[in-house]
Structure formats: C-alpha cells, structure tokens
C-alpha cells in the first residue's frame, strides 16, 4: 500500500522568511496530493491540493510542486507570518481506492516574530 | 462545510469496555472516513465507507469495527478498549468523492484507563 514520508518533523523560521516542507510517496499510481493545516486543538483543514496532471499550483502565499518521476511533492510558504504556525500534513491517494488519503507524519512549523 | 458532528467530544473509559463514537453529516456525502491521530504518527486511517453498508479497512483497523446503516451516520466501535487506543479520533467526509479533499469533524478525545 501507499506510504508517505514527510520532512522535516519540525521547522522554525523567522517571520517573513520562506518555509518548505517535503513529502515522498511510494505508490506511482497515486494521483491526488492535498495539504492540511492543523492549528493547536483544532481540526485539520485543507489549504491546497494538486493532481498528477499538474506540476505546480499557487494560492497567494502558498504553493505546491509535484515531481511524479521522483515521487515527491512539496509545500512552499512565502512571507511567513506568525499565524502560519501550525502542524502541516501532506497526503496522497489514488482515484480507484475510495478516496482514502494516506497522510505523512506532520511538520510542526513555528514562525517567530 | 459538510456539517459534520462528532460525539462525544471527550470520553474516558475503562480497559475492556466497548466504546462507540458517532459521526453525523448533514449533506448526504457518500464517502466517510475514521482516522486516529497520535503524536509522531500523523493521521492514520482506521476504516472508511463508500456508501450505506459499504465499508473497508484502513491502515490500523485491528480492534475497531464500523457500521453505516444510514448515509448520514458512520459509527466507530472499539470492541474492547485498550490503553493503546487512547487517541484523538477524527471523522472526515469526502465532499467531492474520491480524489477530492476531506472536511474533518472536530474530533473525539478518547482516554482508556
């Protein structure tokens, strides 16, 4: 089955810097890759996603890139702000397996003012 | 969002007792999922459902069973609770079907003593 590895497990940046979180997946048939943000004590919330027919997607200060050949995808956050502090999860799924998402272990991002 | 309600929000139970957690959604979405969240492990899929009475196992299904007799309700049962099942349990709904993002419920914090 699918396995998703996420790095780093913790990341500390200064406000205004960029942050990059990387994930690798094992199943070459996976074709959907969402990212979730979870603030302390809250539910995970979808912030951006990408499908395998696209190499990059942007939404304001966040972007996701996908390299299907290498089977890895990354989340990029520019001009970080203290409110970006949270745990971020990547995930992967394939279309013919009931939409079940396999998640990475999470990255705790801390943005210092 | 998908109008997801999880109950109870918190529960403390004794080892060996059965426990049922409920996930209720108001918008007739077909796909529903149960995850557990533990430090260092991210979100791990327990069971999922792709329709009434249609369920399947996830990554960590041992010791858990599910039922979906109505579209709106997805029940997770710990048949005989153990301390290793102390966790936060999240229900999720796949609003767009497979290969679309989830909306998560608020979670149930379960402690087995």
């Amino acid at each position: 089955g699918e396995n998703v590895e996420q790095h780093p497990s913790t990341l500390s940046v200064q406000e205004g810097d960029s942050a990059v979180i990387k994930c690798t997946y094992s199943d070459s048939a996976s074709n959907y890759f969402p990212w979730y943000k979870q603030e302390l004590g809250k539910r995970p919330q979808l912030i951006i996603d990408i499908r395998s027919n696209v190499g990059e997607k942007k939404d304001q200060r966040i972007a996701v890139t996908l390299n299907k050949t290498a089977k890895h995808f990354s989340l990029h956050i520019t001009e970080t702000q203290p409110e970006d502090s949270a745990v971020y999860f990547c995930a992967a799924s394939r279309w013919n397996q009931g939409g079940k998402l396999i998640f990475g272990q999470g990255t705790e991002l801390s943005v210092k003012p | 969002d998908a109008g997801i309600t999880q109950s109870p929000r918190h529960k403390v139970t004794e080892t060996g007792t059965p426990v049922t957690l409920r996930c209720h959604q108001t918008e007739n979405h077909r796909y529903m999922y149960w995850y557990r969240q533990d430090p260092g492990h991210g979100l791990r899929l327990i069971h999922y459902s792709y329709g009434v009475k249609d369920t399947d196992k996830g990554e960590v299904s041992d010791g858990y069973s599910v039922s979906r007799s109505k579209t709106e309700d997805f029940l997770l049962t710990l048949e005989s609770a153990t301390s290793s099942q102390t966790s936060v349990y999240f229900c999720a709904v796949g609003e767009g079907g497979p290969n679309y993002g989830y909306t998560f419920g608020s979670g149930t914090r379960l402690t087995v003593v």
Side-chain angles (χ1 to χ4, degrees):
Chain A
E2 176 66 279
N3 183 53
V4 178
E5 297 287 335
Q6 182 171 347
H7 299 280
S9 57
T10 61
L11 179 60
S12 182
V13 300
Q14 289 295 131
E15 182 177 0
D17 288 351
S18 295
V20 180
I21 302 170
K22 298 181 179 181
C23 290
T24 60
Y25 60 99
S26 61
D27 186 351
S28 57
S30 288
N31 58 354
Y32 176 64
F33 308 93
W35 286 88
Y36 287 80
K37 175 183 179 182
Q38 186 179 30
E39 297 174 348
L40 190 63
K42 301 287 183 64
R43 71 187 81 185
Q45 292 194 298
L46 177 68
I47 57 171
I48 195 168
D49 57 13
I50 191 168
R51 289 179 174 77
S52 58
N53 57 344
V54 175
E56 183 176 3
K57 184 176 179 180
K58 289 183 179 179
D59 183 2
Q60 299 182 329
R61 294 187 298 106
I62 61 173
V64 57
T65 58
L66 171 65
N67 183 327
K68 288 189 296 181
T69 302
K71 290 189 286 186
H72 68 71
F73 56 112
S74 300
L75 178 70
H76 305 253
I77 306 174
T78 59
E79 301 173 14
T80 54
Q81 301 167 3
E83 52 265 40
D84 294 329
S85 296
V87 179
Y88 292 80
F89 293 97
C90 63
S93 73
R94 56 192 293 186
W95 70 274
N96 61 347
Q97 289 191 346
K100 59 180 184 180
L101 288 172
I102 304 301
F103 285 84
Q105 297 86 348
T107 296
E108 184 175 1
L109 173 64
S110 176
V111 181
K112 300 187 184 306
Chain B
D1 63 23
I4 304 171
T5 304
Q6 287 188 235
S7 59
R9 291 294 313 275
H10 302 271
K11 186 171 181 66
V12 180
T13 192
E14 292 186 350
T15 299
T17 60
V19 177
T20 295
L21 309 182
R22 182 182 183 234
C23 180
H24 178 80
Q25 57 136 333
T26 59
E27 296 189 11
N28 275 339
H29 294 295
R30 179 180 171 190
Y31 295 88
M32 298 183 75
Y33 308 86
W34 276 107
Y35 285 83
R36 61 176 289 174
Q37 183 172 30
D38 305 287
H41 291 279
L43 293 148
R44 292 181 292 174
L45 181 66
I46 306 170
H47 282 281
Y48 67 104
S49 171
Y50 44 95
V52 173
K53 297 196 169 121
D54 291 324
T55 64
D56 205 350
K57 296 179 180 179
E59 305 165 88
V60 290
S61 59
D62 287 350
Y64 301 94
S65 62
V66 290
S67 67
R68 192 159 178 210
S69 57
K70 298 184 290 184
T71 299
E72 58 266 36
D73 288 326
F74 192 30
L75 304 180
L76 176 70
T77 298
L78 288 66
E79 294 144 7
S80 177
T82 67
S83 58
S84 65
Q85 293 177 312
T86 291
S87 186
V88 178
Y89 291 85
F90 283 101
C91 172
V93 171
E95 294 186 302
N99 277 14
Y100 285 82
Y102 295 169
T103 297
F104 283 88
S106 298
T108 294
R109 182 173 295 276
L110 177 68
T111 303
V112 183
V113 298

